[in-house]
């Protein structure tokens, strides 16, 4: 208690000088000692070895000033107000009431900004004003399309260098994979992709052939967007590997195959026939069949396989998507964002964990192989365990020489391995460029067997679908879907019906998977919103898409089932409608297709045709709408957000015309008359 009483804890009242403080007066001031970090807590005894906490007062005061100066909430994708042509037909209080209802259904958008919960009056008003709001949405979307052609299309024409770098890297990978394919193709047939009766077909799950453990996938980290998140940055990209021309792990192997793409397709055909299926396809190929609003190419291989009874059967293999030439600027940005988004959300700790886990699995496999070799070298007969030599006097046990032989064999094998490794390093075609990188092993791949059948005719097709599993969140798998945005000040771009069906297929092929829809500023790469939807929520929002998916798959497989063995290419363009063109290898003619992937060919100089069609906006809520209290796809109700009309210059006072002067002779004549 005496230690506490020695300090003067009361307010200091100077006795001599009322206006100035002296050094003697501050010697016993506790407040001054705290600010100078010289105060010793009297509750702590001097015998205790506790470090005194040093307080950085400059940092505390600077944070306080920063919070006072920046007390606003961070708004992702914030931009200035567009030049609205008119005021909204809805009043500000009406838009606020309708915005309450919309914000309640979009809790993931700007959760830092509190918004009052909607009441029954708000819901009733929303239903009353819904026709008026929908009419204004049509006017706003038409105005936004006009704004795209005049101002906003320039943003899409200039992607940043990291975007082009990532796209070119994957374009080179596809080019190296297709080197083993024929170069010239001729038009063989026109394949319809959609039938007439969607409700007659269904897609039924049969069995899970090869499953993927969720722990084998990296875990992403995403939370509420409280600061700027940029995905467009320099990152590592894969390179074509001479040792592994196709980065693919066959279902019967555990390491990356060194076979070319044509041989891998033959192995897949044999695997499909052993599992009782006539078709095997990648997830990428099936999604291409659904997205008929985009151009695409996929490989089609018909291979002859032999079943367990020795009978030969044709199996159709649908490969992954590729492109002969560099795609439009919008497609290049979208495909680059797929890689950049995954790279931004997966932390480095997860990648290092997977690399160490892979190294441990390789060591375990090597140990198993060495144990098997050791078991093969050990003698199996009981008589050979203890060999004796009869010298006539005593029996001497001879030490078995298997260990020495085993050591010699190991030395010889290691020497041979070293020689072969040095030889392989010197030989160019066998150099592995993906060794000790994050791209050494591709993502795990699952194989599931499905049955597409017609409920009326009973016709069915058994197909095996293999798909990659890239990321997870917690215990569930995540499908990442980046959406580039170029008109954030106006609204969010809407997904087409074909894209919605392709995403529904990705969710249907996975067990308990969720879709993470990420809207990204297309010009800067800033993440604007992240919305997580399960398969059920996706179906409730966009409707049931499985009948349409089953109809497309059943129609396409019916058309392709009679092909002869060989390598084909299935090509589609939006101008083809609901059809695709099938090309077979052949000589060059007027309708030929040349498979020449020139990786060094530059993008076309004039890319204005790529952005000729403006995107269609939707009524999805963005952070900028919630911040400004404006409905999505609606004009502003505030007059101060309208563009100010330029003031007219005041009219200048014109000088009056000079007085009319009579000619001199006439004036003189008048004077004479007056006189």
């Amino acid at each position: 208690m005496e230690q506490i009483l020695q300090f003067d804890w009361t307010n200091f009242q100077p006795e001599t000088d009322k206006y100035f403080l002296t050094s003697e007066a501050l010697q016993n001031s506790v407040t001054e000692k705290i600010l100078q970090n010289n105060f010793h807590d009297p509750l702590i005894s001097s015998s205790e070895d506790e470090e005194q906490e040093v307080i950085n007062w400059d940092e505390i005061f600077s944070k306080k000033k920063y919070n006072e100066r920046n007390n606003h909430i961070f708004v992702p994708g914030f931009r200035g107000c567009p030049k609205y042509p008119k005021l909204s037909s809805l009043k500000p209080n009406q838009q606020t009431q309708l915005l309450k209802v919309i914000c309640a259904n979009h809790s993931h958008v700007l959760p830092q900004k509190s918004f009052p919960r909607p009441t029954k009056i708000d819901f009733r008003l929303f239903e009353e004003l819904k026709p008026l709001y929908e009419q204004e949405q049509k006017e706003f979307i038409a105005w936004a399309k006009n704004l795209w052609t005049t101002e906003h299309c320039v943003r899409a024409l200039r992607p940043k260098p990291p975007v082009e770098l990532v796209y070119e890297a994957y374009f080179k990978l596809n080019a190296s994979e297709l080197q083993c394919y024929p170069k010239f193709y001729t038009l063989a047939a026109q394949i319809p992709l959609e039938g007439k009766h969607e409700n007659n077909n269904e897609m039924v799950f049969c069995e899970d052939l090869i499953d993927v453990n969720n722990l084998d996938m990296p875990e992403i980290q995403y939370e509420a967007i409280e600061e700027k998140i940029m995905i467009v940055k320099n990152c590592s990209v894969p390179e074509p590997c001479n040792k592994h021309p196709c980065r693919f792990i066959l279902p019967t192997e555990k390491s990356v195959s060194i076979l070319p793409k044509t041989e891998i397709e033959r192995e897949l055909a044999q695997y499909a026939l052993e599992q009782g299926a006539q078709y095997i396809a990648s997830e990428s190929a099936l999604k291409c069949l659904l997205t008929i609003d985009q151009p695409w190419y996929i490989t089609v291989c018909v291979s002859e396989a032999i079943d367990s009874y020795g009978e030969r059967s044709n199996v159709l293999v649908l490969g992954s998507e590729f492109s002969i030439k560099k795609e439009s600027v919008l497609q290049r940005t979208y495909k680059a964002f797929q890689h950049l988004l995954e790279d931004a959300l997966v932390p480095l700790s997860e990648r290092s964990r997977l690399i160490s886990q892979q190294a441990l699995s390789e060591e375990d496999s090597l140990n198993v192989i060495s144990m098997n070799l050791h078991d093969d070298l050990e003698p199996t007969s009981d008589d050979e365990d203890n060999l004796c030599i009869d010298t006539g006097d005593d029996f001497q046990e001879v030490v078995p020489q298997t260990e020495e032989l085993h050591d010699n064999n190991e030395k010889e094998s290691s020497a041979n391995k070293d020689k072969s490794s040095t030889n392989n390093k010197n030989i160019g075609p066998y150099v592995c460029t993906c060794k000790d990188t994050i791209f050494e092993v591709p993502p795990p791949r699952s194989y599931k067997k499905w049955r597409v059948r017609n409920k009326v005719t009973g016709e069915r097709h058994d197909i095996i679908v293999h798909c990659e599993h890239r990321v997870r969140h917690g215990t569930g798998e995540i499908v990442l879907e980046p959406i580039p945005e170029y008109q954030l000040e106006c609204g969010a771009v809407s997904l087409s019906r074909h894209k919605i069906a392709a995403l529904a297929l990705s969710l249907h092929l996975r067990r308990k998977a969720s879709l993470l829809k990420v809207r990204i500023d297309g010009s800067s790469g800033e993440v604007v919103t992240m919305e997580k939807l399960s398969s059920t929520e996706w179906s409730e929002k966009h409707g049931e898409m499985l009948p349409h998916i089953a109809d497309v798959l059943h129609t396409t497989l019916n058309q392709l089932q009679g092909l002869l063995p060989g390598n084909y290419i299935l090509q589609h363009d939006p101008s083809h409608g609901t059809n695709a063109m099938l090309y077979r290898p052949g000589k060059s003619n007027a309708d030929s297709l040349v498979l020449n992937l020139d990786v060094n060919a530059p993008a076309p100089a004039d890319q204005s045709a790529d952005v000729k069609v403006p995107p269609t906006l939707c009524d999805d809520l963005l952070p900028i709408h919630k911040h400004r209290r404006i409905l999505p796809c609606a004009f502003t109700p505030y007059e101060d957000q309208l563009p100010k009309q330029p003031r007219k210059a005041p009219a200048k006072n014109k000088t009056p015309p000079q007085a009319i002067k009579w000619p001199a002779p006439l004036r003189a004549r008048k004077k004479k008359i007056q006189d």
Side-chain angles (χ1 to χ4, degrees):
M1 193 65 182
E2 295 178 356
Q3 296 177 353
I4 299 176
L5 292 176
Q6 67 180 346
F7 297 102
D8 184 12
W9 297 91
T10 59
N11 293 331
F12 177 73
Q13 296 179 357
E15 298 178 356
T16 57
D17 199 343
K18 296 182 180 180
Y19 302 101
F20 299 98
L21 289 175
T22 60
S23 59
E24 293 82 3
L26 292 176
Q27 286 181 357
N28 204 29
S29 176
V30 178
T31 305
E32 182 66 20
K33 290 183 178 180
I34 292 175
L35 293 176
Q36 296 294 335
N37 284 319
N38 295 327
F39 176 72
H40 178 71
D41 192 351
L43 299 178
I44 301 176
S45 61
S46 58
S47 60
E48 296 180 359
D49 297 335
E50 294 188 7
E51 296 182 357
Q52 184 178 359
E53 183 181 0
V54 178
I55 303 173
N56 190 355
W57 294 103
D58 295 335
E59 183 180 356
I60 292 175
F61 290 134
S62 63
K63 283 185 178 180
K64 183 179 180 181
K65 292 180 181 179
Y66 179 79
N67 294 331
E68 290 177 355
R69 185 175 66 253
N70 302 299
N71 54 358
H72 63 275
I73 300 174
F74 172 71
V75 182
F78 183 81
R79 285 185 177 175
C81 293
K83 299 178 181 179
Y84 293 106
K86 64 175 184 178
L87 282 175
S88 174
S89 57
L90 301 173
K91 297 180 180 179
N93 58 343
Q94 292 177 340
Q95 287 213 14
T96 303
Q97 287 180 289
L98 298 184
L99 200 59
K100 290 181 185 179
V101 180
I102 296 176
C103 290
N105 299 328
H106 296 78
S107 58
H108 65 281
V109 178
L110 203 64
Q112 299 87 354
K113 185 177 179 61
S114 59
F115 219 82
R117 298 183 63 181
T119 60
K120 293 182 179 180
I121 299 176
D122 298 330
F123 283 105
R124 185 167 60 250
L125 184 66
F126 185 85
E127 295 298 330
E128 293 176 358
L129 298 178
K130 191 174 182 179
L132 184 62
Y133 178 38
E134 290 178 351
Q135 180 63 29
E136 186 170 337
Q137 281 182 351
K138 295 179 181 179
E139 297 178 7
F140 186 89
I141 292 173
W143 169 72
K145 288 184 177 180
N146 186 24
L147 202 63
W148 168 267
T149 56
T150 56
E151 298 181 14
H152 295 165
C153 63
V154 183
R155 301 172 182 173
L157 290 175
R158 300 171 183 173
K160 290 192 174 182
V163 176
E164 296 286 3
L165 180 65
V166 170
Y167 177 80
E168 289 179 359
Y170 282 92
F171 185 78
K172 290 179 181 178
L173 282 181
N174 292 333
S176 64
E177 290 180 1
L178 295 172
Q179 287 181 355
C180 56
Y181 259 67
K183 300 301 180 184
F184 297 98
Y185 294 83
T186 58
L187 182 62
Q190 178 175 303
I191 306 297
L193 300 178
E194 291 185 3
K196 298 181 180 179
H197 306 285
E198 289 188 356
N199 297 326
N200 294 342
N201 302 310
E202 62 179 354
M203 186 176 179
V204 184
F205 174 73
C206 294
E207 60 177 322
D208 204 345
L209 302 177
I210 298 178
D211 199 5
V212 174
N213 188 5
N214 288 337
L215 297 179
D216 295 338
M217 296 179 283
E219 184 176 7
I220 61 174
Q221 293 181 355
Y222 74 94
E223 297 177 355
I225 305 174
E226 298 181 354
E227 58 183 8
K228 184 175 289 188
I229 302 175
M230 305 292 292
I231 68 168
V232 178
K233 55 185 178 181
N234 295 327
C235 63
S236 55
V237 293
E239 296 180 359
C241 183
N242 295 327
K243 187 176 181 180
H244 308 103
C246 187
R247 297 177 65 251
F248 194 90
I249 299 179
L250 291 171
T252 56
E253 298 178 357
K254 293 185 179 180
S255 59
V256 183
S257 177
I258 61 174
L259 298 175
K261 187 176 179 64
T262 52
E263 296 297 328
I264 287 178
E265 290 174 342
R266 291 192 183 96
E267 294 293 332
L268 290 176
Q270 183 65 37
Y271 175 77
L273 187 62
E274 292 174 358
Q275 303 299 329
Q278 302 88 23
Y279 308 90
I280 182 169
S282 64
E283 178 194 7
S284 174
L286 300 185
K287 291 175 69 175
C288 286
L289 298 177
L290 295 171
T291 54
I292 59 176
D293 57 338
Q294 297 291 338
W296 44 259
Y297 295 82
I298 57 176
T299 58
V300 179
C301 175
V302 181
S303 180
E304 195 176 44
I306 303 175
D307 58 6
S308 57
Y309 298 101
E311 298 180 358
R312 298 178 180 272
S313 301
N314 292 337
V315 180
L316 189 138
V317 182
L318 294 177
S320 301
E321 179 191 4
F322 71 95
S323 178
I324 292 181
K325 59 182 180 180
K326 292 185 178 179
E327 299 167 279
S328 64
V329 62
L330 297 177
Q331 280 295 103
R332 296 202 305 268
T333 304
Y334 168 73
K335 292 187 176 181
F337 276 5
Q338 287 181 323
H339 174 76
L340 292 171
L341 179 62
E342 180 182 344
D343 185 77
L345 296 182
V346 176
L348 294 177
S349 59
E350 278 295 306
R351 297 191 184 277
S352 60
R353 181 185 67 83
L354 292 177
I355 292 174
S356 60
Q357 182 178 353
Q358 176 189 348
L360 290 175
S361 63
E362 290 180 356
E363 290 180 0
D364 294 340
S365 61
L366 290 175
N367 292 333
V368 171
I369 294 173
S370 62
M371 289 176 63
N372 293 334
L373 291 174
H374 183 69
D375 293 340
D376 294 338
L377 291 173
E378 287 183 352
T380 57
S381 176
D382 296 337
D383 298 336
E384 295 179 356
D385 291 341
N386 297 318
L387 297 178
C388 299
I389 299 176
D390 187 4
T391 58
D393 298 331
D394 296 325
F395 289 101
Q396 296 180 357
E397 293 184 357
V398 178
V399 179
Q401 302 294 326
T402 56
E403 295 182 359
E404 296 179 0
L405 293 174
H406 181 60
D407 295 338
N408 294 331
N409 291 332
E410 285 185 350
K411 291 179 181 179
E412 291 178 359
S413 62
S414 62
N416 292 331
K417 287 182 180 178
D418 294 338
K419 290 180 181 179
S420 62
S421 63
T422 54
N423 293 333
N424 290 341
K425 288 181 180 179
N426 296 329
I427 299 175
Y430 297 99
V431 174
C432 180
T433 58
C434 57
K435 184 67 175 175
D436 298 331
T437 63
I438 60 175
F439 306 103
E440 181 179 359
V441 179
R445 190 178 294 268
S446 66
Y447 291 80
K448 292 182 174 62
K449 185 178 179 181
W450 299 82
R451 178 169 295 169
V452 183
R453 66 182 180 184
N454 190 307
K455 294 183 288 186
V456 178
T457 62
E459 187 179 8
R460 67 182 188 182
H461 302 286
D462 293 336
I463 181 173
I464 296 176
V465 182
H466 57 90
C467 53
E468 291 183 345
H469 301 263
R470 306 192 69 90
V471 293
R472 65 180 175 91
H473 182 68
T475 58
E477 186 180 356
I478 295 294
V479 179
L480 296 177
E481 178 60 24
I483 305 176
E485 297 284 351
Y486 299 99
Q487 291 183 296
L488 286 173
E489 61 267 45
C490 297
V493 67
S494 63
L495 298 177
S496 64
R497 183 177 67 91
H498 311 289
K499 190 66 178 179
I500 292 172
L503 294 175
L505 175 64
S506 297
L507 294 175
H508 188 62
L509 294 176
R510 293 166 171 83
R511 184 183 302 172
K512 296 181 181 180
S514 300
L515 176 70
L516 186 62
K517 190 170 61 172
V518 185
R519 296 190 180 273
I520 306 170
D521 187 357
S523 56
S524 65
E526 180 186 358
V527 176
V528 180
T529 60
M530 290 191 289
E531 182 181 7
K532 183 180 178 182
L533 296 170
S534 63
S535 179
T536 306
E537 294 172 345
W538 185 258
S539 300
E540 292 176 355
K541 185 176 182 180
H542 300 285
E544 188 64 38
M545 303 299 296
L546 290 181
H548 172 69
I549 295 172
D551 175 67
V552 172
L553 297 184
H554 189 271
T555 304
T556 306
L557 296 179
N558 266 343
Q559 298 294 325
L560 298 176
Q561 65 179 349
L563 294 178
L564 297 176
N567 295 318
Y568 302 85
I569 288 181
L570 193 64
Q571 184 253 345
H572 172 76
D573 192 81
S575 60
H576 298 161
T578 59
N579 301 314
M581 302 300 171
L582 183 67
Y583 290 87
R584 62 176 178 83
K587 296 181 180 180
S588 176
N589 53 30
D591 297 332
S592 64
L593 174 68
V594 180
L595 188 61
N596 184 16
L597 281 73
D598 189 4
V599 296
N600 298 322
D606 186 12
Q607 302 182 13
S608 58
D610 299 341
V611 295
K612 186 177 181 180
V613 180
T616 304
L617 302 183
C618 64
D619 57 351
D620 284 0
L621 185 68
L622 292 178
I624 196 171
H625 296 142
K626 190 174 181 180
H627 176 70
R628 289 177 176 164
R629 292 177 176 264
I630 298 177
L631 288 172
C633 291
F635 297 104
T636 178
Y638 310 106
E639 294 184 0
D640 57 347
Q641 292 183 356
L642 290 176
K644 295 181 179 180
Q645 297 293 336
R647 293 183 178 180
K648 295 182 179 180
K652 295 182 179 179
N653 296 327
K654 295 182 179 180
T655 56
Q658 295 182 358
I660 299 175
K661 297 181 179 180
W662 294 91
L666 186 61
R667 287 199 303 269
R669 194 181 306 165
K670 283 186 177 182
K671 287 182 179 180
K672 290 180 180 180
I673 294 172
Q674 290 177 358
D675 294 340

